[in-house]
Amino acid sequence: MLDTGSSDLIASAHRALAVNRRHGLTVPHLRMFPAGYLWDTAVIVKGLAVFDPDRAAAEVLRLLGAQWRSGMLPNEVYFDTDRFRRWIHGAHPDTPTGLTTSGITQPPMIVRSALEVGRRLDPDARAAFYRAALPPLAALCRWVLERRIGDRGLAVVIHPHETGMDNRADLVGPMAARWLTATTRRQRASRAALLLTVRTGRRVLGDCRTVTVGHRSSHPEVLAAALQTHHLRRFHYDLAAIRAEGRAVLVEDVGYNAVFLDAVRCLQELAAELGPDAAREHLPPDLTAATDRLAAGLDQLWQPDVDVHGGGYASRDARTGQVLPGATVAGLFPLLVERRPERVRTMTGRLSDPGRYWTLVPPPSAPLDSPAFDPVRYWQGPAWPFPTDILETGLELAGHHELAGELRHRYLTRPHGPEHAEYQNPLTGAPLGARPFSPAAALTLRFADRLPDS
Ligand code: GLC
């Protein structure tokens, strides 16, 4: 039960979603993130659907309008032709005319969100919405299956930002090793010059204008990410070409794959709502077999010695197959799809352990007992709305309704809730980063809607 300040919390969430609007979309934050972001939109529309399902449906379709001709859905979409961004991401013939987008993607929670938004619409509007959303969502899943599956049957992410968790603890080591090692004097001088450019750029134009760098990705982390983007651009973001060249960090990401497997199942559910003809026309062929292969691939990411107390899910280097060291909250995302009681118990046990993930505002992005844990540094400790959304959904799907309810309760009673921060110190609830942040506000409305007396 929400007791203190709940009307303030709800009213401020509505205000945030009213203010952060641009180009027909609710963006994460008007100044710091004035673009459409794939997994942000997935969380935002579920919150919008609580009070305005038509707006939520329109925003899903608006974002899907940024789909590349290949089926790829970019993680970042500017609804205009932004020269600077074009220069960063490169012009690609697959980009829809008149838009500027990145060339990389993000976990496809948008499929589940579309399904859930549709359920809030009246039957006629729902059918029309599903008919409009199914072809692009099916094209997205087909693109992943045809263009992004690696040697071991798992989707491969080509950039840390594709995990949604830019500088996650298990990704920064491989990125630094690949892009920041300098052995000669010349290389060291060039790295130093690039770092200076990054530092200055972020202070003058970027995220460090308003937020201290201690709360963001470090300058070397940003440089490594930028160097990989530059590299991917040269290979037109094509996995086969990038893999053949051999330099980029490629990851079988446990978070991306869990969300994707869930997305494929949601796609099948959504098509079923429209009847067998829609399914025949739009779903990728052999989707059931592909789903089985994916599930088998994900199963390989369960490592008996990856975490304390009996194993856990972890990501792997897509080239070598080696597990990426460093537990992170992404290792719990398979709660979306895992149904073996023992593994579910291990994951829920870990999530509800106060020494690991069960903090004042759960879940931290890295567990408290990991060497990388830092409660204020971007994806290396703070609690973010995206994992909270995924884990709450996963807990409900896995039948752990009580724990899901507890997670919602902790989120809704978080200190400084009405600020709707981009991320928070999981130990104190201190708000960090941009605010008001639309995904945080949307999650508030979705969780409040599930309170017993609402
Ligand atoms: C940052 C976050 C990412 C989010 C984006 C927009 O890059 O790491 O998860 O999608 O900002 O909010």
Side-chain angles (χ1 to χ4, degrees):
M1 179 66 76
L2 263 188
D3 34 22
T4 53
S6 62
S7 58
D8 194 19
L9 184 69
I10 304 300
S12 57
H14 280 288
R15 271 197 306 278
L17 297 176
V19 165
N20 285 337
R21 298 203 72 187
R22 201 165 175 209
H23 298 302
L25 202 71
T26 309
V27 297
H29 186 263
L30 209 50
R31 281 183 311 282
M32 211 188 283
F33 302 108
Y37 285 83
L38 181 54
W39 82 341
D40 299 59
T41 296
V43 174
I44 292 168
V45 293
K46 286 196 285 183
L48 291 179
V50 169
F51 65 97
D52 189 348
D54 292 320
R55 173 173 157 195
E59 296 205 11
V60 171
L61 298 177
R62 180 98 177 110
L63 189 84
L64 294 178
Q67 184 163 46
W68 279 24
R69 289 174 189 100
S70 60
M72 197 276 286
L73 257 187
N75 75 328
E76 201 177 331
V77 184
Y78 291 82
F79 288 89
D80 50 21
T81 42
D82 178 319
R83 282 234 195 110
F84 175 64
R85 299 280 162 187
R86 265 232 167 142
W87 171 75
I88 290 183
H89 300 303
H92 193 288
D94 277 350
T95 314
T97 321
L99 305 187
T100 307
T101 79
S102 61
I104 58 170
T105 189
Q106 250 180 351
M109 281 122 72
I110 195 73
V111 187
R112 173 166 290 283
S113 299
L115 187 65
E116 291 188 11
V117 165
R119 290 193 176 133
R120 301 257 187 181
L121 293 165
D122 66 51
D124 285 349
R126 179 186 312 147
F129 171 62
Y130 283 164
R131 266 197 300 276
L134 178 60
L137 293 175
L140 168 66
C141 293
R142 193 177 309 122
W143 169 78
V144 178
L145 292 172
E146 288 173 2
R147 307 282 286 275
R148 281 301 190 84
I149 300 295
D151 301 337
R152 282 172 292 270
L154 284 160
V156 172
V157 302
I158 60 173
H159 194 286
H161 291 189
E162 288 201 326
T163 68
M165 308 161 94
D166 309 10
N167 64 330
R168 208 176 62 196
D170 57 342
L171 301 170
V172 290
M175 285 294 284
R178 185 83 74 225
W179 297 111
L180 304 179
T181 35
T183 42
T184 64
R185 225 175 23 179
R186 210 167 140 224
Q187 282 173 336
R188 276 195 291 276
S190 141
R191 289 285 168 273
L194 286 170
L195 268 177
L196 188 63
T197 312
V198 165
R199 185 176 299 131
T200 313
R202 292 178 80 192
R203 283 205 185 126
V204 176
L205 294 169
D207 53 347
C208 295
R209 268 178 311 170
T210 46
V211 182
T212 158
V213 69
H215 295 176
R216 307 303 284 180
S217 298
S218 68
H219 296 312
E221 285 161 3
V222 168
L223 175 59
L227 291 172
Q228 177 132 333
T229 305
H230 180 75
H231 179 77
L232 301 181
R233 204 170 71 182
R234 285 182 41 220
F235 296 93
H236 312 291
Y237 302 97
D238 177 58
L239 173 63
I242 294 160
R243 194 166 36 189
E245 197 276 346
R247 252 190 306 162
V249 174
L250 302 175
V251 174
E252 291 171 350
D253 181 52
V254 66
Y256 188 95
N257 277 281
V259 171
F260 179 57
L261 183 53
D262 180 60
V264 172
R265 291 181 177 159
C266 291
L267 183 73
Q268 286 168 308
E269 249 182 84
L270 196 151
E273 295 256 351
L274 294 173
D277 288 347
R280 253 193 309 278
E281 190 182 342
H282 295 291
L283 292 192
D286 304 325
L287 196 57
T288 308
T291 312
D292 291 346
R293 278 197 302 276
L294 268 173
L298 191 61
D299 189 41
Q300 299 168 38
L301 295 186
W302 181 271
Q303 307 288 333
D305 53 358
V306 88
D307 217 328
V308 291
H309 325 303
Y313 277 108
S315 302
R316 279 195 312 216
D317 181 312
R319 290 180 201 282
T320 63
Q322 282 193 332
V323 175
L324 300 184
T328 78
V329 71
L332 302 179
F333 288 7
L335 275 172
L336 285 171
V337 288
E338 177 64 73
R339 294 298 164 261
R340 278 162 284 195
E342 210 174 294
R343 287 194 187 175
V344 172
R345 247 195 325 272
T346 305
M347 286 190 281
T348 52
R350 207 155 279 167
L351 174 61
S352 57
D353 179 347
R356 311 209 74 209
Y357 288 103
W358 204 245
T359 48
L360 182 71
V361 186
S365 32
L368 300 189
D369 60 351
S370 71
F373 176 77
D374 178 337
V376 296
R377 220 158 79 69
Y378 223 40
W379 283 102
Q380 301 191 354
W384 286 73
F386 310 105
T388 312
D389 175 86
I390 291 171
L391 295 187
E392 189 265 351
T393 304
L395 289 171
E396 288 289 352
L397 291 170
H400 284 261
H401 308 299
E402 215 174 294
L403 194 54
E406 255 303 298
L407 184 58
R408 290 193 291 270
H409 177 77
R410 288 202 176 200
Y411 187 72
L412 290 171
T413 54
R414 65 197 189 275
H416 312 284
E419 294 211 29
H420 302 289
E422 185 185 0
Y423 46 98
Q424 300 158 75
N425 181 325
L427 306 172
T428 64
L432 301 163
R435 44 201 190 262
F437 189 59
S438 300
L443 196 61
T444 300
L445 294 181
R446 183 166 85 74
F447 284 2
D449 186 55
R450 304 231 22 199
L451 288 172
D453 59 351
S454 58

